[in-house]
Amino acid sequence: AATFLAAWVALHLARSERVFRLRVRAHFGQIVDSRGAAPVLTISVENVGHRTAIVTAFGWTTGYAFPIGILPKWLRLRSAFQFPDYEWPINPAFPWTLAPGESRSTHLRREEFIAGFAKPLDGDLFRKLPWHSRPRLFRHRVHVQVSTRPKIYYGRVHPKVSQALEESYQG
């Protein structure tokens, strides 16, 4: 039993060092410079693992992913990729190479970001839940994509961001 346990611990440690660990967050903030303060939505990515990650894109997700597809339509996964604002010199261009312990952020102008989600579109992230009268963001998350892995890494969206998007939605 001790030999089995030692082998299992060694395999677990070896596997955990090969896994990407990214902390992704989306929240409101402000950028202050000599001309004043600009309200922004900040998306920050921090590499908390032991491997270097190359982040290629970010976006938004709502709902659940279920491979068989037996979920009702209002629970299914919906995703949208976001284009960063490269007109601001503070936004680094993709891809981002993040060494262990390193982090980067990109900023979007808050009013433009909220206005982009206000108009209803076919297949957008909002959905009509049976227990709500208005369309909502169900299980709203931000995600990033890493170049060497086919999967995406999910992160947290601050509740104030989701609330602002839901209040501006005209669906």
Side-chain angles (χ1 to χ4, degrees):
T3 304
F4 174 76
L5 185 61
W8 182 81
V9 168
L11 288 173
H12 176 71
L13 290 175
R15 184 179 182 278
S16 67
E17 287 188 8
R18 292 183 297 163
V19 175
F20 290 111
R21 294 196 197 295
L22 300 175
R23 184 176 298 140
V24 185
R25 294 187 188 126
H27 56 90
F28 286 142
Q30 287 191 351
I31 295 179
V32 180
D33 63 3
S34 61
R35 292 173 285 185
V40 295
L41 170 81
T42 301
I43 298 170
S44 58
V45 182
E46 181 182 3
N47 186 353
V48 293
H50 297 292
R51 290 186 64 189
T52 299
I54 300 173
V55 178
T56 58
F58 69 95
W60 307 96
T61 304
T62 60
Y64 289 103
F66 197 70
I68 300 173
I70 59 174
L71 290 175
K73 190 173 183 178
W74 55 273
L75 283 176
R76 291 186 191 154
L77 184 73
R78 293 183 190 167
S79 296
F81 282 95
Q82 181 78 44
F83 292 111
D85 186 0
Y86 289 130
E87 294 176 7
W88 269 1
I90 58 172
N91 285 338
F94 282 108
W96 297 344
T97 302
L98 298 177
E102 198 174 20
S103 66
R104 288 240 172 101
S105 298
T106 189
H107 310 283
L108 304 167
R109 291 175 177 91
R110 187 185 307 186
E111 297 304 319
E112 292 177 17
F113 173 76
I114 291 174
F117 278 87
K119 296 177 186 169
L121 299 169
D122 249 1
D124 64 8
L125 298 177
F126 292 87
R127 56 192 78 219
K128 180 84 167 79
L129 301 173
W131 55 88
H132 288 289
S133 60
R134 293 189 58 198
R136 310 278 306 214
L137 290 168
F138 176 68
R139 204 168 174 244
H140 187 210
R141 296 169 293 170
V142 63
H143 69 266
V144 296
Q145 189 171 13
V146 176
S147 68
T148 56
R149 302 281 297 180
K151 91 179 228 184
I152 58 177
Y153 294 87
Y154 296 103
R156 281 182 23 103
V157 175
H158 195 277
K160 288 186 179 182
V161 175
S162 298
Q163 181 182 0
L165 293 175
E166 287 176 356
E167 288 174 358
S168 71
Y169 188 68
Q170 301 164 359

